[in-house]
Amino acid sequence: MASATTLFTPNPMFSTEHHSLSPSPTIPKSFTGLCKPFHSRVPTSIPSFHCRRPKFFVRATVIKWRCPKQTIPPDDTGFQKKLLYLESIGIDSFSLIENHPTVITTSLADIKSTVEYITSLDFTAIEFRRMVGMCPDILTTQVSDLIPVFTFLHREVHVPGSHIKRVINRRPRLLVCSVSKRLRPTLYFLQSIGIEEVNKHTDLLSCSVEEKFMPRIDYFENIGFSRRDATSMFRRFPQLFCYSIKNNLEPKYSYFVVEMGRDLKELKEFPQYFSFSLENRIEPRHKQCVEMGVCFPLPALLKTSEVKFQSRLDVCVNSSTPLKTSPLWSAGCDVYDV
């Protein structure tokens, strides 16, 4: 999928000298202050046009090859109007179509309705472009499918009306998820494991319980946690569901057990361990502690700033630490004050 930057680069590919185009379609008010009129962005030099023209026919061929049933010719008036409209709101139509070909069969009227509905909810033109860059499916989603999502977030997830815009900006994919098949089942699952304030973790609602959540819970069971302890970790730190098993959980768990030699109970109490960089935080701090003969609890080892960590390390090394049986032990290095 193309990045947001790629999707929204103005694409001066058409020239009215070479293509007979209808007047520019109506542009939502929120876009008019940020987009120059399409014709003002068309290059006037013939060399510039001829340099980009072959790219047009190559991409048109790619679209036909990928979508054999969608053989709309490049000179089709309706198709040109659609491209012109997308360009007029600042979206690179060819990058969009190449990476999201279903836009070809979506009517211009439906696309305009979607754009106008979303921008009418106080989303700015820049926000809308970013949303489409992250999730192009939004453009081909009908308004009748968008409304239930906003209603669900407000009524069932209890997201305050003033926060819904922030929730969507953070996770645009929510808008293209089915309420009955994805959002509501995921909500019920998160509530069933004890996550009460799901409105603080709305980015998880677009995830599949079967494909994403359960494999991660199973992973922690396989490495020695009970189902109860595993779900407790996710309840304590829901973002744990977002981490890759192969690229995050496995290497960090291996380092925790093999190199650090620590007890699983510590991970149960502090699952945030997996949110820290192995190369930049966990490994270098652990090695420093080993060299100095110091052992900090995980929160004190990882959560503190570098300056505070070094300061505590110096205090522990340069002072005599009380015995663990002493009531002064926990205060000796102030390691719990994170």
Side-chain angles (χ1 to χ4, degrees):
M1 185 178 292
S3 65
T5 304
T6 303
L7 290 178
F8 300 138
T9 303
N11 193 331
M13 192 166 296
F14 290 110
S15 171
T16 51
E17 293 181 83
H18 300 269
H19 301 279
S20 235
L21 296 179
S22 304
S24 178
T26 304
I27 305 173
K29 291 182 179 180
S30 60
F31 289 89
T32 55
L34 295 173
C35 287
K36 293 181 179 180
F38 177 79
H39 297 293
S40 70
R41 295 190 279 116
V42 176
T44 55
S45 61
I46 297 300
S48 174
F49 175 80
H50 285 304
C51 286
R52 296 185 64 90
R53 189 173 182 180
K55 191 175 182 181
F56 168 80
F57 288 106
V58 170
R59 289 201 171 185
T61 302
V62 172
I63 293 169
K64 289 183 181 180
W65 180 80
R66 291 174 66 180
C67 308
K69 296 181 180 179
Q70 301 168 349
T71 56
I72 301 176
D75 58 349
D76 179 84
T77 303
F79 185 59
Q80 290 180 357
K81 286 182 178 179
K82 190 184 300 182
L83 297 183
L84 178 58
Y85 177 73
L86 292 172
E87 294 280 351
S88 72
I89 61 176
I91 297 178
D92 184 343
S93 55
F94 285 97
S95 293
L96 176 66
I97 292 173
E98 187 173 4
N99 293 281
H100 189 65
T102 55
V103 74
I104 296 175
T105 55
T106 305
S107 71
L108 175 59
D110 285 343
I111 292 176
K112 290 174 67 175
S113 294
T114 297
V115 174
E116 291 168 0
Y117 175 72
I118 292 178
T119 54
S120 72
L121 299 176
D122 201 32
F123 287 91
T124 67
I126 294 175
E127 289 172 332
F128 181 78
R129 291 177 190 139
R130 177 180 173 276
M131 288 161 57
V132 174
M134 295 175 66
C135 182
D137 290 328
I138 290 174
L139 271 180
T140 56
T141 302
Q142 296 189 348
V143 174
S144 59
D145 294 322
L146 294 173
I147 294 175
V149 175
F150 286 101
T151 303
F152 169 80
L153 290 173
H154 183 57
R155 294 183 179 177
E156 298 187 45
V157 188
H158 306 297
V159 177
S162 58
H163 294 174
I164 286 183
K165 181 180 173 181
R166 183 181 65 189
V167 166
I168 298 299
N169 274 324
R170 182 176 180 181
R171 187 67 170 172
R173 182 157 294 280
L174 288 167
L175 292 179
V176 301
C177 292
S178 166
V179 171
S180 60
K181 296 179 180 179
R182 174 58 59 82
L183 300 181
R184 188 173 290 121
T186 302
L187 171 65
Y188 290 166
F189 173 81
L190 294 174
Q191 292 174 332
S192 72
I193 64 172
I195 301 177
E196 298 178 355
E197 297 181 306
V198 180
N199 55 10
K200 294 182 178 179
H201 307 283
T202 51
D203 51 317
L204 296 176
L205 291 171
S206 61
C207 300
S208 168
V209 173
E210 294 77 13
E211 296 176 8
K212 190 159 189 173
F213 292 171
M214 293 311 302
R216 284 155 179 77
I217 292 178
D218 291 341
Y219 170 76
F220 281 100
E221 281 194 82
N222 292 335
I223 62 176
F225 290 94
S226 66
R227 173 57 68 99
R228 181 176 181 178
D229 287 344
T231 54
S232 171
M233 293 172 66
F234 286 96
R235 180 169 60 250
R236 186 186 297 268
F237 185 53
Q239 290 307 309
L240 198 57
F241 280 123
C242 300
Y243 298 139
S244 165
I245 294 176
K246 181 179 180 180
N247 299 323
N248 186 308
L249 303 183
E250 286 184 349
K252 290 178 183 177
Y253 169 74
S254 177
Y255 189 84
F256 179 85
V257 173
V258 177
E259 299 297 332
M260 300 176 74
R262 304 183 77 136
D263 196 287
L264 290 182
K265 182 179 179 181
E266 291 189 80
L267 288 181
K268 175 187 172 184
E269 297 298 324
F270 189 69
Q272 292 89 339
Y273 163 83
F274 293 98
S275 67
F276 294 94
S277 168
L278 180 59
E279 295 77 14
N280 300 325
R281 180 65 66 93
I282 299 174
E283 186 174 353
R285 289 196 176 183
H286 168 68
K287 287 183 176 180
Q288 277 190 283
C289 287
V290 171
E291 291 173 1
M292 299 296 184
V294 175
C295 182
F296 287 148
L298 286 180
L301 176 68
L302 302 173
K303 288 180 67 176
T304 55
S305 67
E306 189 62 28
V307 173
K308 198 168 185 179
F309 172 75
Q310 294 298 335
S311 175
R312 287 176 173 174
L313 199 58
D314 291 340
V315 169
C316 289
V317 171
N318 297 322
S319 62
S320 58
T321 306
L323 297 174
K324 289 186 178 182
T325 54
S326 168
L328 298 177
W329 181 81
S330 62
C333 297
D334 195 27
V335 293
Y336 287 102
D337 182 17
V338 297

